[in-house]
Amino acid sequence: RVHGEMLNDKPRNEAFKRAIEQSDLSNKIVVDVGAGTGLLSLMCVKYGNCKRIHAIEASSIAQECAEVVKNSQLNDIIQIHQCKVEDTLILEHIDLIISEWMGK
């Protein structure tokens, strides 16, 4: 339910879009912590021209995120990690961490 509300929150999504557009993400490696449905990861590709995104999501919604990434034909750019961030091993330099924290 909360993910649907977030996806439909136009002011929130527009603010993220503007922030990403104003950032220099071109050819950067980005980590999206708590990626959820993958909206911020997709925005980083579309508006930021990132080289690669590691989308980390511990919950089962990571499976939906993976489906969105697959349907968008972005498997070569967005890598889904279904695990806790502290259990994630990324073997490349990270340029930026993006996240929208929720919950406790």
Side-chain angles (χ1 to χ4, degrees):
R1 180 181 156 220
V2 70
H3 288 99
E5 291 174 12
M6 292 170 65
L7 289 171
N8 291 315
D9 186 344
K10 187 170 180 159
R12 168 194 165 270
N13 296 336
E14 285 295 321
F16 275 118
K17 177 185 176 215
R18 281 192 309 276
I20 290 167
E21 286 176 325
Q22 294 171 7
S23 301
D24 179 17
L25 301 182
S26 184
N27 294 314
K28 303 282 191 211
I29 308 297
V30 176
V31 172
D32 181 0
V33 177
T37 59
L39 180 64
L40 295 181
S41 294
L42 293 166
M43 285 184 169
C44 284
V45 173
K46 183 173 183 177
Y47 304 116
N49 195 32
C50 294
K51 179 178 180 181
R52 184 168 17 272
I53 306 222
H54 294 275
I56 303 169
E57 176 56 52
S59 78
S60 61
I61 199 148
Q63 295 164 15
E64 291 179 42
C65 180
E67 197 63 31
V68 169
V69 168
K70 179 182 174 186
N71 291 339
S72 301
Q73 299 179 340
L74 294 172
N75 288 20
D76 57 329
I77 300 173
I78 301 176
Q79 297 177 1
I80 310 298
H81 303 265
Q82 187 175 355
C83 58
K84 294 180 180 179
V85 67
E86 58 268 27
D87 295 332
T88 306
L89 178 62
I90 298 172
L91 299 175
E92 62 183 325
H93 173 79
I94 303 303
D95 297 299
L96 178 78
I97 297 172
I98 190 169
S99 184
E100 181 179 14
W101 293 93
M102 295 174 33
K104 301 176 187 178

